[in-house]
Amino acid sequence: MTPQAYRVKRWHDGGMKVVLRADASTEIGTGHVMRQVALAEELLLQGAEVFLVGEVEGPSWLKDKLTSVRGLQRLGQPAGTFDSGVLQELGASVSAIDSYALGQSE
């Protein structure tokens, strides 16, 4: 089996659910969200069900971009937090977190 055939089979047959996590405000975070959007677009093309979790209060062009990504599902969570219960609720196969605020200890 070729690598390409394996990749398509894996995403389509497995019913992959992916949770992506990022926040953006008018001051910071647009790069975090745009990286997750790039991942989401490819994953959606490969047949995965994709959820973007976080708070996006950034510029209007960013909100417009999120709205334009067909099939991307959004779930709100306050900036800088992550309720990992959402992974189990959604039956997530994998997650990717793009944040400076999450995972840091005080």
Side-chain angles (χ1 to χ4, degrees):
M1 185 180 305
T2 66
Q4 178 67 24
Y6 175 76
R7 183 176 77 177
V8 172
K9 179 180 181 354
R10 184 173 152 219
W11 290 106
H12 283 275
D13 294 349
M16 188 73 67
K17 290 186 179 184
V18 180
V19 172
L20 305 174
R21 178 70 177 89
D23 298 310
S25 70
T26 54
E27 292 85 29
I28 61 171
T30 56
H32 297 281
V33 173
M34 285 305 296
R35 281 190 292 275
Q36 298 292 45
V37 168
L39 281 172
E41 289 174 326
E42 180 60 27
L43 291 165
L44 288 163
L45 284 174
Q46 296 298 324
E49 189 174 358
V50 182
F51 300 86
L52 177 64
V53 177
E55 185 174 356
V56 178
E57 296 297 328
S60 61
W61 63 263
L62 181 60
K63 292 179 185 179
D64 293 343
K65 176 63 178 173
L66 290 175
T67 303
S68 75
V69 179
R70 191 175 178 136
L72 178 62
Q73 300 175 64
R74 295 190 49 207
L75 297 171
Q77 280 192 1
T81 66
F82 185 59
D83 176 3
S84 61
V86 76
L87 300 174
Q88 188 172 13
E89 267 181 52
L90 297 173
S93 308
V94 65
S95 65
I97 298 172
D98 191 341
S99 172
Y100 291 125
L102 295 171
Q104 294 181 357
S105 60
E106 301 204 41

